[in-house]
């Protein structure tokens, strides 16, 4: 199988394989998909596996960032992984994912994230579960009264792409969030062109929501704000639809402030869409990440990464004053041993005790790493 970037004029050729993998794609839905794919196609980030000129597999690498304790880390968002039904069971998916990892490294991304359709395939090439996209349902009436003061808001469109990206980035940085992703300006422009979404921009906040498919309720796709005043105003705007929408389905952080603004909270049903993480360039990923302030930790590591050998070997990990370093060192028989799955889970804040009991981390003294990597990762985007 030859894996290469698709040319824009070849993109229609993936429609059939997408339909066979995910279901029929009506004409209008396909036109929208082609429009949204334009930035990645032009950047050479839509890939296909070819066998004798026939497309038998596809995958996309979005150019993104991911926030970790207030710092943005370059990220490859892996999406649209498909294998033709008649080609499944031959190792095509594993070959495709290995090729995409190499290309993510070539683009200079220290991290890669995906939403798995199957855990087994992605674990076989070093991915591990790290966080989730969380959805809750909130009575619309409960949101109508959360506002304290009026805030200057305006509708946002494609020409606001750069400002939207900046406002969202400042909000995640200030909150020292872990997990949310950021899109580049061309992708934001493409997303803000969608008529179905209602987008509002404040000086320190952004809201995107729409009606659900049956037009009986609202769905908040993203609501972020750096101040209480703007946070209340944006949620109250959603709540203003209480006369026609009984409920709001909202994508929120596990500790989203809105959950503490509501007057009443009873039983909450949370829908989680799990995502998986992979370190592509381990030293760069450790250095780019933010860490809890006031925490100091160190450990000798032995990493074994068959797919990305540059990550393999003996390392010294040091974390201090919110900074991390991973540097080559001599062999150490007492090193903490882990593969790419264990390294990804540790990076995402999974406690060392959990990793030991699952066999993802072995040997050495690693207890101090749990507070150093402490995090509750979440995302507000499904891709």
């Amino acid at each position: 199988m030859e894996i290469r970037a698709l040319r824009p004029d070849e993109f229609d050729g993936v429609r059939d394989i997408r339909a066979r993998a995910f279901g029929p794609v009506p004409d209008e839905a396909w036109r929208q998909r082609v429009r949204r794919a334009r930035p990645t196609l032009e950047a050479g980030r839509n890939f296909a596996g070819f066998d004798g000129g026939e497309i038998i597999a596809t995958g996309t690498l979005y150019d993104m960032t991911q926030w970790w304790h207030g710092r943005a880390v370059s990220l490859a968002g892996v999406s649209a992984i498909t294998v033709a039904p008649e080609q499944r069971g031959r190792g095509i998916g594993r070959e495709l994912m290995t090729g995409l990892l190499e290309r993510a490294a070539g683009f200079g991304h220290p991290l890669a994230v995906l939403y798995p359709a199957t855990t087994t395939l992605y674990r076989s090439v070093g991915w591990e579960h790290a966080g989730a996209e969380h959805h809750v349902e909130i009575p619309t009436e409960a949101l109508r009264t959360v506002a304290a003061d009026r805030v200057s808001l305006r509708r946002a469109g494609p020409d606001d792409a750069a400002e939207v990206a900046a406002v969202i980035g400042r909000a995640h940085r200030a909150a020292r969030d872990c997990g949310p992703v950021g899109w580049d300006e061309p992708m934001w422009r493409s997303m803000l062109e969608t008529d179905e979404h209602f987008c509002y921009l404040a000086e320190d906040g952004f809201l995107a929501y729409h009606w659900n498919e049956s037009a009986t309720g609202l769905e908040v796709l993203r609501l972020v704000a750096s101040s209480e005043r703007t946070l209340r105003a944006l949620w109250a705007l959603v709540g203003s639809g209480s006369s026609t929408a009984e409920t709001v389905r909202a994508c929120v952080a596990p500790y989203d402030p809105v959950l503490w603004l509501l007057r009443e909270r009873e039983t909450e049903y949370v829908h989680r869409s799990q995502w998986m993480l992979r370190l592509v360039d381990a030293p760069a990923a450790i250095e780019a990440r933010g860490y809890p302030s006031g925490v100091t930790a160190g450990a000798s590591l032995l990493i074994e990464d068959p797919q990305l050998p540059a990550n393999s070997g003996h390392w010294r990990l040091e974390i201090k004053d919110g900074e991390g370093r991973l540097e080559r060192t001599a062999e150490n028989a007492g090193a903490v041993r882990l593969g790419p799955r264990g390294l990804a889970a540790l990076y995402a804040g999974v406690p060392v005790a959990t990793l030991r009991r699952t066999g993802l981390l072995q040997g050495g003294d690693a207890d101090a790493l749990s507070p150093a990597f402490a995090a509750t990762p979440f995302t507000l985007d499904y891709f």
Side-chain angles (χ1 to χ4, degrees):
M1 179 175 66
E2 176 197 8
I3 301 173
R4 64 168 176 84
L6 284 166
R7 299 189 305 269
D9 64 315
E10 293 178 309
F11 190 67
D12 279 340
V14 308
R15 183 175 180 178
D16 178 71
I17 193 173
R18 294 278 182 89
R20 292 172 188 270
F22 301 114
V25 186
D27 290 345
E28 179 57 30
W30 181 250
R31 282 191 289 270
Q32 292 184 18
R33 187 166 296 177
V34 170
R35 177 180 58 77
R36 293 176 185 173
R38 187 172 59 247
T40 51
L41 278 167
E42 293 174 352
R45 288 174 168 271
N46 284 74
F47 296 90
F50 291 84
D51 183 9
E54 178 186 358
I55 295 176
I56 62 172
T58 68
T60 298
L61 295 178
Y62 288 116
D63 184 6
M64 310 167 79
T65 56
Q66 186 172 45
W67 294 90
W68 290 96
H69 277 287
R71 296 182 65 176
V73 184
S74 177
L75 173 75
V78 183
S79 181
I81 301 299
T82 59
V83 175
E86 66 275 17
Q87 300 290 343
R88 293 171 188 164
R90 298 176 49 208
I92 298 296
R94 198 170 190 275
E95 183 179 351
L96 173 69
M97 291 307 302
T98 301
L100 291 181
L101 276 175
E102 294 170 353
R103 283 156 178 79
F107 282 124
H109 298 299
L111 296 177
V113 160
L114 58 78
Y115 283 90
T118 171
T119 294
T120 304
L121 166 63
Y122 300 119
R123 277 182 169 162
S124 75
V125 286
W127 299 76
E128 192 47 76
H129 287 279
E133 182 191 48
H134 301 80
H135 286 91
V136 299
E137 282 204 357
I138 303 172
T140 315
E141 178 64 24
L143 296 171
R144 189 175 59 84
T145 57
V146 300
D149 302 301
R150 291 190 66 84
V151 170
S152 177
L153 304 174
R154 63 181 179 85
R155 297 180 182 182
D159 292 341
D160 298 304
E163 186 174 355
V164 167
V167 166
I168 292 173
R170 287 196 296 269
H172 289 316
R173 184 184 302 113
R176 299 184 65 84
D177 286 330
C178 293
V181 299
W183 301 89
D184 60 12
E185 185 177 339
M187 281 300 299
W188 266 117
R189 179 176 292 274
S190 176
M191 290 187 284
L192 289 166
E193 288 175 347
T194 303
D195 295 333
E196 300 169 354
H197 299 167
F198 311 120
C199 301
Y200 288 85
L201 185 61
E203 183 180 358
D204 67 338
F206 175 74
L207 163 66
Y209 73 103
H210 64 186
W211 287 95
N212 63 21
E213 292 183 359
S214 59
T216 58
L218 298 172
E219 182 170 2
V220 171
L221 307 172
R222 183 194 307 267
L223 194 158
V224 297
S226 298
S227 67
E228 177 189 355
R229 190 165 173 264
T230 299
L231 185 83
R232 287 180 177 273
L234 292 174
W235 279 112
L237 187 153
V238 178
S240 68
S242 61
S243 61
T244 50
E246 183 177 346
T247 61
V248 173
R249 186 175 188 263
C251 185
V252 297
Y255 295 105
D256 200 289
V258 69
L259 302 176
W260 280 262
L261 292 179
L262 303 176
R263 292 179 179 177
E264 296 289 346
R265 286 180 67 186
E266 297 179 3
T267 303
E268 291 171 349
Y269 296 96
V270 180
H271 179 269
R272 292 165 50 93
S273 297
Q274 298 290 132
W275 48 268
M276 300 180 80
L277 179 69
R278 179 58 151 97
L279 271 65
V280 179
D281 183 335
I286 294 295
E287 184 175 356
R289 188 193 195 275
Y291 301 86
S293 58
V295 176
T296 299
S300 295
L301 305 182
L302 172 57
I303 300 172
E304 297 176 346
D305 190 339
Q307 288 76 37
L308 295 172
N311 291 331
S312 296
H314 284 267
W315 303 87
R316 180 65 190 179
L317 171 65
E318 295 286 350
I319 298 169
K320 183 178 180 181
D321 299 329
E323 303 279 341
R325 294 288 184 274
L326 187 66
E327 298 178 343
R328 291 280 182 187
T329 188
E331 291 187 15
N332 184 338
V336 176
R337 303 187 305 277
L338 66 173
R341 290 174 53 207
L343 184 62
L346 176 66
Y347 193 95
V350 178
V352 168
T354 299
L355 298 179
R356 286 196 185 280
R357 284 179 286 177
T358 55
L360 292 175
L361 181 150
Q362 298 175 334
D365 182 4
D367 291 345
L369 298 183
S370 286
F373 284 95
T376 307
F378 69 95
T379 51
L380 301 175
D381 297 82
Y382 189 93
F383 50 86

